[in-house]
Amino acid sequence: MSSGMSQPEPNPIVACTVSRDVQNFDLLIEDMEMALGEAWGDLGFAEALAFFSQPEAESLEFIALAMDHEDEENLILMGEIITQAKASGIAVILIAEDVTPASLHQLLRKGADEFVPYPLPEQELQMAIDRLSTPEVEPATEARPSPQLKTGPSREGAVIVVHGLAGGSGSTTMAINLAWELALVDADNPPSVCLIDLDLQGGSVSTYLDLPRREFVLEMMTETETMDEDVFGQALLAFEDKLQVLTAPSDMVPLDIIDSDDVQRVIDMARSHFDYVVIDMPKTLVQWSETVLNAAHVYFAMLELDMRSAQNALRLKRALQSEDLPFEKLRFALNRAPKFTDLSGKSRVKRMGESLGISIDLQLPDGGKQVTQSADHGLPLANSAAKNPLRKEIAKLASSLHELGRSDAEAA
Ligand SMILES: Nc1ncnc2c1ncn2[C@@H]1O[C@H](COP(=O)(O)OP(=O)(O)O)[C@@H](O)[C@H]1O
Ligand SMILES: [Mg+2]
């Protein structure tokens, strides 16, 4: 006997996936079905924003906002979706594939409740959903766990880049000694430091620290899609147990053998495991320079008081500005700077800065023969010529960078 009397209520939708295209996240589809049967829908980014204010959205308990690397360009939109969802009393589970820690951090700060990496680990979505619905028994004393930490040890290392504007302007010397001074900066609580030689061809970090160049580096750098922390760790070499070094590959390779994604992944990986990531860059601009520039917290451009440096500084400035890249991130550092007493030298520095329209923020003294000798012995200056004026200046720089980072961390 059929009657039209008891039409079952259509299942209210209790959750939605929100993504560029949910088909990119087929494991999420499976897990949503497993957890919710039919009681969920899928929305695009723009649709989601429109939907939150509709009456049908009232039954919505959470959204699973799924994003990958490409969506990072739309971080503002994603942030807005989170804000609006939260304002409508809807919880947000962030599902992220290949998204940088910086972006994740930003989205979690917008109020995303849970973070699950994609591909989804077994049961992870269900567990995140369960956590959403457990009444908040947050004891006041217990800090809320940082969701990011679930995927492994997660730091947010500062990225410090050194780029010599002309060959021999001291980029590698600066990168090595700065990395080493950072490792020594606080004996009681030494920060972890990773030094990365991205000067793939000229790379002399290994020579200056007397470390072998290994074939495995190239393999790791060109297969970053499958790189995990073990693989990354294997590519590193320790200098005196205090500094981890990713040397340049053993073979002379073209600079574009790696691409922006590779570089981004390596930087992300390093950042998530070290307090400081120091990068020595090639002197030419490459396809992935922009990636490094964007990742950098501080970007030192090393120059000398000569025509070559001046011309290259100008070229770099024009190149960055024409591409709308953050030129203001550059901190110009003058190597082999004239002494205080050298008045004509000092006025030349001033004129150089003015004529290039740059401010020379840092001056490093000539350290004489000791600097090259130290490198020849495979040692940082601190270990071979601790009183060298160049060493002292770099040590000062390291401690001021460290102080800065700490006061930022306290302010946050
Ligand atoms: N401030 C300095 N005082 C003395 N020698 C220096 C100084 N900076 C660099 N050098 C020496 O100059 C040479 C080139 O430096 P390097 O760091 O290899 O430059 P880059 O990496 O920019 O090519 C090296 O022999 C190094 O020891
Ligand atoms: Mg070099």
Side-chain angles (χ1 to χ4, degrees), residues 26-264:
D26 45 5
L27 291 174
L28 176 61
I29 300 179
E30 274 174 33
D31 284 11
M32 290 291 277
E33 266 164 18
M34 193 118 81
L36 305 165
E38 303 275 274
W40 64 280
D42 72 280
L43 297 169
F45 295 138
E47 273 177 310
L49 284 176
F51 184 72
F52 293 147
S53 52
Q54 305 289 315
E56 300 87 76
E58 265 163 36
S59 61
L60 220 55
E61 287 165 15
F62 71 90
I63 57 168
L65 178 59
M67 66 179 297
D68 62 20
H69 191 66
E70 269 183 53
D71 299 315
E72 266 180 283
E73 289 163 17
N74 285 321
L75 221 52
I76 295 180
L77 178 60
M78 323 278 297
E80 189 54 27
I81 291 170
I82 296 173
T83 308
Q84 300 257 342
K86 299 299 290 181
S88 316
I90 301 164
V92 179
I93 300 178
L94 194 59
I95 315 278
E97 178 173 30
D98 267 343
V99 173
T100 61
S103 303
L104 274 182
H105 201 75
Q106 197 173 328
L107 294 177
L108 288 165
R109 269 203 309 248
K110 286 271 176 194
D113 299 86
E114 291 283 337
F115 157 66
V116 187
Y118 188 91
L120 297 159
E122 191 98 351
Q123 293 295 319
E124 223 15 85
L125 182 69
Q126 185 63 56
M127 282 176 347
I129 297 173
D130 294 345
R131 280 193 298 268
L132 291 179
S133 51
T134 36
E136 285 165 50
V137 279
E138 249 176 81
T141 48
E142 205 175 309
R144 244 188 97 164
S146 155
Q148 261 176 295
L149 294 180
K150 278 181 224 137
T151 53
S154 180
R155 293 171 193 251
E156 287 255 315
V159 179
I160 301 171
V161 181
V162 190
H163 180 160
L165 292 188
S169 56
S171 168
T172 305
T173 304
M174 167 81 150
I176 285 179
N177 285 286
L178 184 57
W180 187 241
E181 297 299 338
L182 283 166
L184 302 179
V185 78
D186 181 352
D188 296 332
N189 190 13
S192 55
V193 185
C194 180
L195 172 62
I196 300 182
D197 191 350
L198 288 184
D199 187 1
L200 303 182
Q201 297 191 336
S204 38
V205 167
S206 57
T207 317
Y208 288 12
L209 290 177
D210 196 19
L211 296 169
R213 283 188 178 211
R214 294 153 80 214
E215 272 175 38
F216 185 63
V217 172
L218 187 60
E219 195 178 315
M220 185 278 281
M221 296 280 273
T222 50
E223 288 169 24
T224 56
E225 250 165 279
T226 53
M227 168 189 67
D228 58 16
E229 54 190 23
D230 291 337
V231 172
F232 180 69
Q234 269 178 55
L236 298 176
L237 284 168
F239 179 80
E240 293 201 351
D241 291 337
K242 290 199 196 86
L243 175 64
Q244 295 293 326
V245 185
L246 183 66
T247 67
S250 49
D251 297 319
M252 183 80 123
V253 293
L255 291 167
D256 59 5
I257 198 162
I258 54 173
D259 64 17
S260 302
D261 288 341
D262 295 319
V263 170
Q264 185 74 55

